[in-house]
Amino acid sequence: MNPFQKNESKETLFSPVSIEDVPPRPPSPPKKPSPKICGSNYPLSIAFIVVNEFCERFSYYGMKAVLILYFLYFLHWNEDTSTSIYHAFSSLCYFTPILGAAIADSWLGKFKVLSLVGLSLIALGTGGIKPCVAAFGGDQFEEKHAEERTRYFSVFYLSINAGSLISTFITPMLRGDVQCFGEDCYALAFGVPGLLMVIALVVFAMGSKIYNKPPPEGNIVAQVFKCIWFAISNRFKNRSGDIPKRQHWLDWAAEKYPKQLIMDVKALTRVLFLYIPLPMFWALLDQQGSRWTLQAIRMNGNLGFFVLQPDQMQVLNPLLVLIFIPLFDFVIYRLVSKCGINFSSLRKMAVGMILACLAFAVAAAVEIKINEMTPAQPGPQEVFLQVLNLADDEVKVTVVGNENDSLLIESIKSFQKTPQYSKLHLKTKSQNFHFHLKYHNLSLYTEHSVQEMNWYSLVIREDGNSISSMMVKDTESKTTNGMTTVRFVNTLHKGVNISLSKDTSLNVGEDYGVSAYRTVQRGEYPAVHCRTEDKNFSLNLGLLDFGAAYLFVITNNTNQGLQAWKTEDIPANKMSIAWQLPQYALVTAGEVMFSVTGLEFSYSQAPSSMKSVLQAAWLLTIAVGNIIVLVVAQFSGLVQWAEFILFSCLLLVICLIFSIMGYYYVPVKTEDMQGPGDKQISHIQGNMINLETKKTKL
């Protein structure tokens, strides 16, 4: 019988309270308060956690910054395949936290998963790090410091974006400005982030003695699934109308599972239901490293005072996050609060979704403008042809055929080319074309074979007192994927070796030998070293700009000596990369309102035993979002601007659904998640104090 059960007897009410009446509890030593930062309410331990997160995020985002270009340029995958693999990798990184959360909450605890599993096994370790590090930082705060804990999540997100800011700026420089084996140095770009992971491990281990390390609470993931399964099966077994209904469907698990677990699972399922629409936001946000970077490679990165590489444009996101978080926390949210508006967490997240919608609408407008400036592509049974005259006098070229004979009707002067590519129509996938060449008093006919959907240059050259021609296939992709490419035609009677950089050189054969295209860095090339078997000389190539494909003809001019005649096969990118700034500003503002708020919301709504599980579920929504991008990239078949519009419209619909769900959601308060045992003990202790007080007064 409970000695503290309510009783109307005065004798009982005023009787002395004996310690034997209370069930014995093991003595617990007084908890030593954790050291604070500079006299504040912030635990010193979070400093190590934040620095660790900075280093880990430097590693992760530094690697991801160059990943899409590594696929595109080093592995030579197309844009859709590169995008799909990029998002498949991102999705895997956010799926593994489910495993990490299960291990953290049920076996090792958050601290050991971070140090032993997450940071030691980087490939799979992201699953150990992601669900634990945010929640582990939250565990360092006492409940009475809930406001400081909310601020911690903002600081935590700042550390993420500080690491991302520096890494997304530095690793593209390591890739592009350093040459390894004659190509971009991806080894260094991936190696430096790996070094930062070692530093992250050291920093995290340094704070080991001052961490508050909540012990694991059993196999909570298995308990959750078993509890849900038992509730569902028990409900179906008791479908009879004679059996009284229960308030919640999870109450049907009461015959087997404790009330506290059922309450925790209720809180968990309510939040998980709210998570269902969230993946679509991440589907848009994570395209900054894939589709938006691919958009940037077709833009001009010269800002006048600085030249941005396409993958460096991602630096805008963490930079703006560092600006927006204090701006929103200390200015915008406070102004909204003073206006009497209840700007709840769910409302902030809905506004973040709307901003992401607007960002992709802007991205679609930019994409349409880029397409207007990009040369058209040859379609089926079509080829594009230009004529390059390297003879000493003008030549008139005519395509023999009913459909194409009027395309090249004007004479082409010496060392000139046709103003633009001409479109030739084929009757089959490959076809032989006959050309009529008129030079001085000579009239020549020549035949060349072409294949559909390609670009060609018909090069006319001197051949003694006459002329001859050769058909040269131009670069496979006339957009050059945003890279600067060059090739050479050598009119000399000796082969030439050309050194484009310290590690990049190419050989061009004698007597109108034509080199392959070679990718180079954008920049000025005033003195490129060249040599023949008996002579060294330099060529001034001038500015090689973003996205352009150049053809240089090496000639020996009697008056000026050896020089390079420069012509553009593909014009440089005309649209400035600065036009991406509005879409980055919008999506980053949306991220601050959605992601930072969501991190704190997930922690505050999680039962104490399931904080890592709910954090992992939050990260799981990111994984599903990346899968959405993967599916759309592989199977939609849409042009890029239409794909951007599709994502924008889908998120707008999802935002409406989420807003309706959030309207009916009632946030859980901290005291509501306190265990009944804790409440009972608190209630008993309160009664004991009251009784002792009454006895003393009597």
Side-chain angles (χ1 to χ4, degrees):
M1 179 178 178
N2 188 345
F4 300 102
Q5 186 176 2
K6 183 177 179 181
N7 195 314
E8 299 298 329
S9 169
K10 294 182 180 180
E11 181 180 355
T12 305
L13 179 61
F14 295 105
S15 64
V17 178
S18 172
I19 297 177
E20 285 87 14
D21 293 335
V22 182
R25 299 179 64 188
S28 56
K31 187 176 180 181
K32 185 180 179 181
S34 59
K36 301 294 192 287
I37 299 176
C38 299
S40 67
N41 290 326
Y42 292 92
L44 180 61
S45 55
I46 68 168
F48 295 94
I49 296 174
V50 168
V51 173
N52 162 79
E53 184 66 7
F54 168 85
C55 296
E56 193 272 334
R57 292 292 87 184
F58 183 105
S59 174
Y60 179 75
Y61 286 108
M63 179 270 298
K64 283 190 70 176
V66 298
L67 193 60
I68 192 75
L69 298 188
Y70 174 75
F71 292 154
L72 194 66
Y73 298 142
F74 192 82
L75 299 182
H76 304 294
W77 294 344
N78 61 40
E79 290 188 2
D80 286 340
T81 301
S82 299
T83 300
S84 298
I85 299 300
Y86 177 92
H87 286 283
F89 168 76
S90 298
S91 179
L92 181 62
C93 287
Y94 288 100
F95 264 123
T96 50
I98 293 294
L99 176 61
I103 297 174
D105 278 339
S106 61
W107 180 27
L108 294 179
K110 301 181 188 72
F111 170 73
K112 292 184 179 179
V113 170
L114 270 170
S115 58
L116 300 181
V117 179
L119 296 175
S120 299
L121 305 174
I122 296 175
L124 295 176
T126 188
I129 297 170
K130 287 181 183 295
C132 301
V133 65
F136 187 59
D139 289 339
Q140 308 305 305
F141 291 85
E142 301 172 25
E143 285 301 328
K144 62 183 179 181
H145 298 145
E147 183 178 351
E148 285 82 0
R149 186 179 63 200
T150 300
R151 296 284 181 226
Y152 154 75
F153 283 106
S154 293
V155 174
F156 175 79
Y157 210 76
L158 282 171
S159 71
I160 291 176
N161 287 276
S164 175
L165 169 67
I166 299 174
S167 64
T168 52
F169 185 78
I170 291 179
T171 51
M173 295 176 64
L174 298 177
R175 170 193 63 80
D177 296 347
V178 180
Q179 295 287 307
C180 297
F181 311 107
E183 297 182 345
D184 287 351
C185 196
Y186 288 100
L188 186 61
F190 290 140
V192 171
L195 177 62
L196 264 291
M197 284 303 301
V198 177
I199 298 176
L201 174 60
V202 172
V203 171
F204 186 75
M206 287 171 62
S208 173
K209 294 183 179 180
I210 62 173
Y211 291 140
N212 175 28
K213 307 170 187 175
E217 304 184 25
N219 194 344
I220 193 67
V221 176
Q223 291 181 38
V224 169
F225 281 108
K226 288 178 180 179
C227 180
I228 293 174
W229 175 252
F230 182 81
I232 295 173
S233 59
N234 194 29
R235 176 66 183 89
F236 276 96
K237 290 177 183 177
N238 298 277
R239 295 192 300 269
S240 174
D242 299 332
I243 301 176
K245 294 183 179 180
R246 301 187 183 181
Q247 187 177 6
H248 193 279
W249 62 273
L250 277 168
D251 291 334
W252 289 94
E255 285 82 357
K256 184 176 180 180
Y257 292 95
K259 183 179 179 180
Q260 181 61 42
L261 176 63
I262 295 174
M263 291 175 59
D264 289 353
V265 175
K266 285 180 182 179
L268 181 67
T269 53
R270 288 173 70 250
V271 180
L272 291 181
F273 178 73
L274 205 60
Y275 280 3
I276 293 175
L278 303 190
M280 186 53 67
F281 176 85
W282 301 113
L284 275 69
L285 184 69
D286 277 8
Q287 291 189 58
Q288 295 175 78
S290 57
R291 291 302 199 192
W292 284 15
T293 299
L294 295 176
Q295 183 185 72
I297 65 177
R298 295 186 289 124
M299 305 176 77
N300 196 313
N302 185 10
L303 302 178
F305 59 91
F306 189 77
V307 177
L308 272 178
Q309 297 296 327
D311 44 353
Q312 280 182 317
M313 195 60 183
Q314 299 173 61
V315 79
L316 273 178
N317 175 253
L319 176 62
L320 291 174
V321 165
L322 295 177
I323 297 172
F324 285 170
I325 285 181
L327 176 65
F328 277 71
D329 277 351
F330 299 112
V331 180
I332 296 178
Y333 291 158
R334 293 188 179 184
L335 288 176
V336 171
S337 178
K338 287 184 178 181
C339 293
I341 300 174
N342 180 20
F343 207 22
S344 65
S345 296
L346 298 180
R347 289 178 180 177
K348 293 176 185 176
M349 294 170 70
V351 173
M353 290 181 177
I354 294 174
L355 291 174
C357 292
L358 295 175
F360 266 66
V362 173
V366 172
E367 187 70 21
I368 292 172
K369 193 65 179 177
I370 292 174
N371 291 341
E372 292 175 358
M373 299 180 177
T374 302
Q377 300 291 315
Q381 295 188 355
E382 291 179 352
V383 296
F384 284 177
L385 176 71
Q386 69 172 355
V387 179
L388 184 65
N389 180 17
L390 301 183
D392 60 356
D393 203 351
E394 66 178 27
V395 177
K396 185 173 183 179
V397 181
T398 305
V399 182
V400 180
N402 295 330
E403 297 183 8
N404 303 303
D405 56 359
S406 62
L407 295 178
L408 305 171
I409 56 177
E410 296 183 359
S411 298
I412 305 169
K413 295 182 179 180
S414 176
F415 278 84
Q416 295 292 329
K417 68 170 187 173
T418 49
Q420 59 188 12
Y421 280 86
S422 300
K423 182 188 296 184
L424 301 183
H425 298 278
L426 283 65
K427 296 179 180 178
T428 58
K429 291 185 177 181
S430 61
Q431 182 177 330
N432 291 338
F433 276 99
H434 295 82
F435 298 90
H436 178 223
L437 310 180
K438 190 172 182 181
Y439 170 72
H440 293 166
N441 296 324
L442 298 175
S443 182
L444 304 173
Y445 288 89
T446 183
E447 178 181 356
H448 297 284
S449 177
V450 296
Q451 292 184 337
E452 65 175 357
M453 302 178 68
N454 281 307
W455 305 68
Y456 292 93
S457 293
L458 181 66
V459 180
I460 300 172
R461 59 179 188 171
E462 293 183 15
D463 191 2
N465 295 327
S466 183
I467 58 173
S468 62
S469 64
M470 59 181 181
M471 186 71 76
V472 178
K473 187 177 181 181
D474 291 345
T475 181
E476 293 289 337
S477 172
K478 294 306 290 185
T479 61
T480 71
N481 287 326
M483 298 292 288
T484 305
T485 58
V486 296
R487 65 172 177 171
F488 295 84
V489 175
N490 178 22
T491 66
L492 307 179
H493 298 300
K494 297 178 180 179
V496 178
N497 177 269
I498 303 171
S499 298
L500 294 170
S501 66
K502 182 179 179 181
D503 300 316
T504 305
S505 64
L506 54 87
N507 294 310
V508 191
E510 71 274 10
D511 295 328
Y512 295 93
V514 181
S515 73
Y517 279 98
R518 183 59 62 90
T519 300
V520 296
Q521 292 295 318
R522 184 262 183 202
E524 293 279 352
Y525 290 79
V528 174
H529 181 261
C530 306
R531 60 183 175 86
T532 62
E533 60 184 17
D534 57 358
K535 186 177 183 180
N536 293 330
F537 59 96
S538 296
L539 295 176
N540 180 11
L541 305 185
L543 173 65
L544 305 183
D545 213 349
F546 285 108
Y550 297 96
L551 172 66
F552 293 94
V553 180
I554 303 173
T555 61
N556 189 1
N557 188 296
T558 305
N559 298 325
Q560 299 178 355
L562 294 171
Q563 61 181 6
W565 177 59
K566 179 181 180 180
T567 181
E568 285 186 357
D569 286 347
I570 305 172
N573 299 339
K574 295 182 176 64
M575 192 166 186
S576 173
I577 202 170
W579 284 102
Q580 280 196 323
L581 179 60
Q583 66 199 58
Y584 271 97
L586 285 169
V587 82
T588 305
E591 179 186 1
V592 169
M593 300 190 73
F594 184 93
S595 187
V596 177
T597 307
L599 277 173
E600 194 276 332
F601 177 80
S602 295
Y603 187 89
S604 66
Q605 299 299 294
S608 59
S609 62
M610 300 185 188
K611 293 192 182 295
S612 288
V613 174
L614 199 56
Q615 290 287 331
W618 170 262
L619 297 171
L620 185 62
T621 64
I622 306 178
V624 177
N626 279 275
I627 290 179
I628 293 173
V629 182
L630 188 156
V631 172
V632 172
Q634 283 295 312
F635 302 108
S636 70
L638 297 173
V639 294
Q640 192 55 64
W641 67 265
E643 186 178 291
F644 286 154
I645 293 294
L646 172 65
F647 277 110
S648 181
C649 293
L650 287 175
L651 183 57
L652 192 60
V653 174
I654 291 297
C655 179
L656 178 61
I657 296 172
F658 178 77
S659 300
I660 296 173
M661 296 168 64
Y663 179 79
Y664 292 100
Y665 180 83
V666 180
V668 178
K669 297 180 181 179
T670 305
E671 56 268 23
D672 296 335
M673 290 187 289
Q674 188 177 12
D678 297 335
K679 292 181 179 178
Q680 184 182 15
I681 292 170
S682 176
H683 174 68
I684 290 172
Q685 291 172 342
N687 284 344
M688 290 169 61
I689 294 171
N690 291 337
L691 290 173
E692 290 172 345
T693 303
K694 289 180 181 179
K695 179 177 182 295
T696 303
K697 288 182 179 178
L698 181 62

